[in-house]
């Protein structure tokens, strides 16, 4: 059974994910939710990548993060981050025009509580944006799911799908919601390259962080085996990903 991700232990390598990809679709989605100089809260902001990005765009951005290690990385880049949890936002009512959770909601212990808290701190007409995968749709392909035992099953249980997020929002009092693909990630990586950087990959891929060492090593050995089989055929193994990140956007009532 995969364990909860200890973000303190992966904090120093986490930003490697932003060297591998720059997530233009998330950037466009955030911009689309905001007009000029608005107040934004990112819940589960990690190392502050998006908080810093929103600040650079001229918005009054704040981040909330429970992990001391991740928050330390955010402070180091000058991102205004406070420690806390999604289930009890330490902010006054009607403080923000946008509350977002980017690749984070599947970690929250009580999603219903978070959605109520988001509505409380949003100004009338403000928006909640949740970005995340929806593995229950069965549309994604990922070598991580193919080679590392239990990762797909674990993702299917922990990621709230867009319909679930939408229902939580309307039950909490949001007036409407919509969901769409924000980011379509396609990766083709030679297995040799992946194996050379496997330790780094583990630090920013929560599906792999959650595995015990034995299961992780068994997955790596499976890739090596497939690579040897490909080499015996005079071929080389290419690892592939075809993943979608969805944006679910819910609107708070005007009064
Ligand atoms: C995959 S990281 C995403 C970080 C950042 N949003 C990004 O996209 O780079 C998930 C983050 O959610 C945080 N998290 C976990 N449980 C949380 C909770 N209950 N409330 C707020 N954040 C939480 C973790 O500490 C971690 O930093």
């Amino acid at each position: 059974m995969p364990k909860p991700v200890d973000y303190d232990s992966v904090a120093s390598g986490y930003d490697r994910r932003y060297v591998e990809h720059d997530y233009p679709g998330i950037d466009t989605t955030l911009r689309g939710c905001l007009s000029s100089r608005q107040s934004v809260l990112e819940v589960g902001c990690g190392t502050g990548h998006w908080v810093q990005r929103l600040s650079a765009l001229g918005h009054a951005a704040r981040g909330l993060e429970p992990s001391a290690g991740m928050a330390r990385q955010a402070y180091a880049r000058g991102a205004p981050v406070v420690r806390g949890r999604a289930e009890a936002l330490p902010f006054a009512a009607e403080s923000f025009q946008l509350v977002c959770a980017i690749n984070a909601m599947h970690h929250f212990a009580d999603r219903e509580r978070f959605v109520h808290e988001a509505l409380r701190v949003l100004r009338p007409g403000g928006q909640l944006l949740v970005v995340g995968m929806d593995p229950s749709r069965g549309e994604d392909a990922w070598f991580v799911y193919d080679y590392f035992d239990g990762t797909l099953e674990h993702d299917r249980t922990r990621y709230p799908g867009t319909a679930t997020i939408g229902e939580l929002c309307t039950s909490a009092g949001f007036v409407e919601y919509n969901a769409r693909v924000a980011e379509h990630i396609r990766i083709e990586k030679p297995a040799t390259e992946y194996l050379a950087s496997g330790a780094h990959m583990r630090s920013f891929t929560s599906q792999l962080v959650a595995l015990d060492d034995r299961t992780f090593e068994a997955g790596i050995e499976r890739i090596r085996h497939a690579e040897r089989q490909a080499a015996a055929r005079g071929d080389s193994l290419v690892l592939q990903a075809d993943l979608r990140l969805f944006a679910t956007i819910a609107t708070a009532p005007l009064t």
Side-chain angles (χ1 to χ4, degrees):
M1 181 66 187
K3 53 189 188 310
V5 178
D6 172 9
Y7 273 100
D8 285 342
S9 68
V10 298
S12 60
Y14 182 84
D15 277 350
R16 176 81 191 271
R17 72 161 53 196
Y18 294 112
V19 177
E20 298 279 328
H21 308 288
D22 51 6
Y23 299 92
I26 298 181
D27 196 75
T28 304
T29 302
L30 282 167
R31 286 165 181 263
C33 288
L34 289 159
S35 46
S36 68
R37 299 187 175 280
Q38 292 199 305
S39 51
V40 192
L41 171 67
E42 189 197 352
V43 181
C45 69
T47 56
H49 173 88
W50 295 110
V51 176
Q52 187 182 45
R53 175 81 188 121
L54 289 162
S55 301
L57 291 172
H59 301 294
R62 309 281 302 271
L64 184 86
E65 173 56 43
S67 151
M70 296 293 264
R72 216 173 293 123
Q73 301 290 324
Y75 301 145
R77 61 164 24 121
V81 169
V82 295
R83 301 279 306 284
R85 293 196 164 269
E87 296 82 357
L89 300 179
F91 301 100
E94 301 190 5
S95 297
F96 301 98
Q97 267 124 353
L98 178 70
V99 172
C100 55
I102 302 173
N103 287 324
M105 192 171 173
H106 56 290
H107 294 291
F108 302 168
D110 189 338
R111 290 96 189 248
E112 191 179 346
R113 205 52 207 283
F114 161 61
V115 169
H116 276 94
E117 279 292 86
L119 184 58
R120 180 183 66 76
V121 302
L122 275 172
R123 297 196 182 140
Q127 289 186 313
L128 168 63
L129 162 67
V130 177
V131 175
M133 300 204 304
D134 188 351
S136 59
R137 289 176 184 245
E139 296 169 350
D140 294 332
W142 196 11
F143 65 88
V144 167
Y145 291 154
D146 297 335
Y147 289 101
F148 295 91
D149 274 351
T151 49
L152 175 59
E153 294 73 14
H154 187 221
D155 274 4
R156 283 189 170 149
T157 56
R158 69 188 182 136
Y159 276 89
T162 54
T164 303
I165 297 167
E167 279 158 25
L168 285 174
C169 289
T170 44
S171 303
F174 284 87
V175 285
E176 58 175 13
Y177 82 92
N178 63 74
R180 60 173 182 271
V181 174
E183 192 85 53
H184 193 164
I185 302 169
R186 293 186 184 89
I187 301 171
E188 293 204 340
K189 202 182 224 346
T192 39
E193 210 179 286
Y194 180 78
L195 291 167
S197 62
H200 288 302
M201 294 290 185
R202 199 178 182 188
S203 69
F204 62 82
T205 307
S206 73
Q207 288 75 7
L208 300 180
V209 180
L211 297 178
D212 59 49
D213 289 347
R214 231 172 99 189
T215 312
F216 176 72
E217 288 306 331
I220 292 289
E221 188 41 47
R222 233 170 255 142
I223 295 176
R224 285 203 183 102
H225 180 69
E227 193 188 29
R228 284 192 296 271
Q229 284 184 318
R233 292 192 304 271
D235 211 346
S236 57
L237 178 67
V238 175
L239 301 176
Q240 300 187 336
D242 182 10
L243 299 168
R244 289 149 198 81
L245 295 178
F246 289 85
T248 307
I249 302 172
T251 306
L254 281 170
T255 52

